Amino acid sequence: MTAREQAAFAAGVEAARQMAMVAAVTLENRDDAGEVRQRAAVAALQGLASGLKDAFLTSSSTATPSETTHS
């Protein structure tokens, strides 16, 4: 992958991470935020955001998109 492609991939992953966090915050601010279903959704979205960051955006991560593709 070229440096430009890597930068575009990282930007896409960051956008997905941010969207997951926005959705989680939105759910947390709903009137029914205390319901188990809503709390589970928030936890899942926060986990997704954290996983994207850990898997693709940390400097210690050596995984590239081609290495994470499942066969």
Side-chain angles (χ1 to χ4, degrees), residues 7-37:
F9 177 79
V13 171
E14 177 60 19
R17 188 191 71 76
Q18 289 179 7
M19 286 187 282
M21 289 305 298
V22 166
V25 169
T26 301
L27 287 173
E28 287 178 324
N29 289 311
R30 289 174 44 139
D31 291 337
D32 61 349
E35 292 182 16
V36 173
R37 175 177 47 133

Side-chain angles (χ1 to χ4, degrees), residues 1 6 9 55-56 61-69:
M1 217 192 287
Q6 289 174 341
F9 177 79
F56 297 109
S61 175
T62 58
T64 62
S66 61
E67 293 172 343
T68 57
T69 305

Side-chain angles (χ1 to χ4, degrees), residues 36-70:
V36 173
R37 175 177 47 133
Q38 302 299 346
R39 291 193 321 251
V42 168
L45 287 164
Q46 290 171 338
L48 171 63
S50 177
L52 287 170
K53 183 178 178 182
D54 292 345
F56 297 109
L57 299 178
T58 58
S59 61
S60 63
S61 175
T62 58
T64 62
S66 61
E67 293 172 343
T68 57
T69 305
H70 295 90

